[in-house]
Amino acid sequence: MKILHTSDWHLGQTLHQYERGYEHARFLDWLLDQLEAEQVEALLIAGDLFDHTNPSAASQRQLYHFLTQARARVPQLAIVMIAGNHDSPGRIEAPGPLLSLFDASAIGAVGRPADGASDEDSAAQLDRLILPLKDRSGAVAAWCIAMPFLRPADLPRVAGNDSGSGTEAVDSYQAGMAQLYRQAWQQVQDRRQPGQAVVAMGHCHMRGGQVSEESERRLVIGGAEALPSALFDPGIAYVALGHLHLAQRVGGDPTRRYCGSPLPLSFSEVDYPHQVLLVELSGEAVAEVRELRIPRAVELMRLPRQPAPLEQVLAELEALELPQRPEAEQPYLLVRVQLDQPEPGLRASVEAALAGKPVRLVRIETSRARAIEPAEANPAPRVSVEELAMLEPADLFGRLYRHRFGNEPAPELARAFDELLVQAQGAT
């Protein structure tokens, strides 16, 4: 049986001011081709389908158009989706009755059993997370534990772990997660037959996972989100994870994997190998895991690779030669400039150097030319409230500038400040 593992689509995402619908459309078209070419029997989408809990109509249309196309082109395909921390659990589950017509399941939430609930009630809540996966002959070949993103309030209370703060909160979160996965594993044992594999899904942060700081939202305050790999029973053949955008193995295990995001969601992900994972099951075990690299529809460029003085940066930008493309295919550009003093006309200079070039300027990142070490930096003089009240605005500006840049403001900058001050005083 063939399963394809993908996650973290973030439909509706913008890169600063630029919509990325074109890139997502290209990825989904490519994904449809892979599903058909490989004759995949189950598609697992491990959370963060959307970038926002209230996704745009366009991004929702994009998802549901893909689902209908996938079903039409690969009739035997089953689809299992779970909510991630960016998704609204209710919105993911709302079209469930319609999705069932396409052999698609959407799990948004677990829901913690009420205190005093019977074992039967608790089992019924878990039962909806356990889904059969059929091969192309229609026989059940595997079972999927489809566990969505879980917040602390979603987890069962475990005796001996109080939901307080600090270490107790961490222990409570991890103990609740472990118990929920353990209960699901035990429950699936009652339904599987010999020779049927078990696959688990999760949208969580596993311990030791490498994070993209610019685009991955923290899951749980206090570090409780870092979960141990022992969370998953050794009998689970494959674990399909979502949340971390860098494709990686958990603890080096090739059967516990993050497939990563299908496109770079920030400039910190420029060098990520974006991919989906094709998992082939044989009986109760994994026979093979193949990485299918996703072609990048639009490049993200950082110029220069390391911050450089403005003159050098402008020269590189003016010398930049790129082929003409439609606007939707033009590269995104991050410009990195090293400054030793403020440059009020920085953006205008950069835009002038890029005039007429088929590239989209996303951001200008500035850094200081020389980092002042704490030992050599002049500490800001302490000023009492009374002294502060006696300072003229120009004096305060000069003090702040000298503290930050280590020298006097340029005459033209001081004049610009004086002009702004006059305008502000005139307005009052």
Side-chain angles (χ1 to χ4, degrees):
M1 180 180 191
K2 288 185 178 179
I3 293 173
L4 196 142
H5 168 202
T6 180
S7 73
D8 294 273
W9 292 1
H10 288 268
L11 300 176
Q13 195 237 9
T14 59
L15 188 63
H16 295 264
Q17 70 271 33
Y18 294 107
E19 297 284 343
R20 308 190 74 185
Y22 171 78
E23 294 163 87
H24 278 118
R26 290 282 298 274
F27 158 65
L28 294 175
D29 288 344
W30 174 87
L31 185 58
L32 286 170
D33 291 341
Q34 306 312 306
L35 293 171
E36 188 172 21
E38 297 288 348
Q39 286 298 294
V40 174
E41 289 140 299
L43 172 65
L44 308 183
I45 311 173
D48 281 355
L49 285 88
F50 298 113
D51 195 55
H52 304 287
T53 55
N54 186 23
S56 67
S59 58
Q60 292 181 74
R61 281 195 301 270
Q62 201 164 43
L63 172 63
Y64 298 124
H65 176 73
F66 166 80
L67 296 178
T68 56
Q69 290 289 103
R71 182 64 174 174
R73 291 176 60 174
V74 191
Q76 79 275 6
L77 183 70
I79 301 172
V80 182
M81 302 176 284
I82 59 173
N85 59 301
H86 280 252
D87 298 315
S88 162
R91 190 178 294 277
I92 290 292
E93 289 192 353
L98 290 175
L99 292 177
S100 65
L101 299 177
F102 299 95
D103 199 13
S105 302
I107 307 297
V110 174
R112 185 165 62 185
D115 292 339
S118 66
D119 291 342
E120 291 78 9
D121 291 338
S122 300
Q125 277 190 300
L126 280 175
D127 200 51
R128 61 190 292 270
L129 309 181
I130 299 171
L131 305 169
L133 300 178
K134 298 177 181 179
D135 60 23
R136 67 191 61 188
S137 71
V140 175
W143 293 87
C144 178
I145 300 172
M147 195 74 71
F149 167 64
L150 299 170
R151 296 169 176 82
D154 300 323
L155 298 172
R157 293 188 178 94
V158 179
N161 286 281
D162 298 325
S163 56
S165 58
T167 302
E168 292 174 350
V170 173
D171 291 346
S172 177
Y173 183 80
Q174 295 187 2
M177 288 284 290
Q179 177 167 307
L180 202 54
Y181 271 104
R182 183 167 57 251
Q183 290 172 337
W185 165 252
Q186 291 168 350
Q187 197 154 325
V188 81
Q189 301 310 304
D190 297 333
R191 301 179 64 176
R192 69 189 292 213
Q193 298 296 318
Q196 295 174 346
V198 178
V199 174
M201 298 176 70
H203 191 91
C204 50
H205 181 181
M206 303 304 296
R207 191 172 295 162
Q210 187 173 335
V211 177
S212 169
E213 295 292 349
E214 288 186 26
S215 54
E216 287 169 359
R217 188 182 301 164
R218 287 185 65 85
L219 296 179
V220 182
I221 294 173
E225 71 270 25
L227 300 168
S229 58
L231 185 72
F232 306 109
D233 191 278
I236 295 175
Y238 183 80
V239 178
L241 295 167
H243 178 59
L244 299 186
H245 297 169
L246 175 64
Q248 54 195 289
R249 303 178 181 187
V250 176
D253 189 334
T255 67
R256 274 78 174 126
R257 305 276 284 255
Y258 287 97
C259 60
S261 60
L263 55 133
L265 299 170
S266 70
F267 282 93
S268 66
E269 301 176 16
V270 167
D271 298 321
Y272 282 11
H274 297 279
Q275 61 187 30
V276 297
L277 296 170
L278 186 65
V279 182
E280 189 158 356
L281 300 175
S282 178
E284 299 183 9
V286 172
E288 183 183 20
V289 179
R290 273 197 287 143
E291 300 169 357
L292 305 181
R293 293 297 175 87
I294 303 168
R296 190 169 294 183
V298 177
E299 289 299 319
L300 276 70
M301 301 173 58
R302 292 177 293 188
L303 287 179
R305 290 290 293 181
Q306 299 297 326
L310 180 58
E311 295 78 7
Q312 178 183 332
V313 172
L314 294 178
E316 285 194 35
L317 295 179
E318 289 170 356
L320 184 64
E321 294 186 3
L322 295 168
Q324 290 297 324
R325 296 184 176 95
E327 184 177 0
E329 298 179 4
Q330 291 176 4
Y332 300 113
L333 177 63
L334 168 66
V335 175
R336 314 173 87 180
V337 185
Q338 199 176 67
L339 299 175
D340 55 11
Q341 64 180 15
E343 290 285 348
L346 176 60
R347 187 168 188 91
S349 298
V350 169
E351 290 177 344
L354 291 171
K357 299 183 186 296
V359 67
R360 289 175 284 182
L361 177 62
V362 171
R363 183 158 60 96
I364 301 172
E365 180 183 273
T366 61
S367 58
R368 294 175 61 177
R370 184 179 68 93
I372 299 176
E373 297 296 331
E376 64 173 316
N378 294 321
R382 294 184 178 275
V383 181
S384 67
V385 175
E386 293 79 8
E387 291 173 321
L388 186 63
M390 296 175 62
L391 285 175
E392 293 293 331
D395 294 331
L396 188 59
F397 169 72
R399 287 188 179 209
L400 180 60
Y401 188 97
R402 286 191 293 274
H403 172 62
R404 183 166 183 180
F405 296 100
N407 52 25
E408 296 292 331
E412 59 271 20
L413 190 62
R415 285 195 298 271
F417 177 82
D418 290 339
E419 291 174 7
L420 289 173
L421 183 60
V422 170
Q423 292 177 17
Q425 290 172 340
T428 58

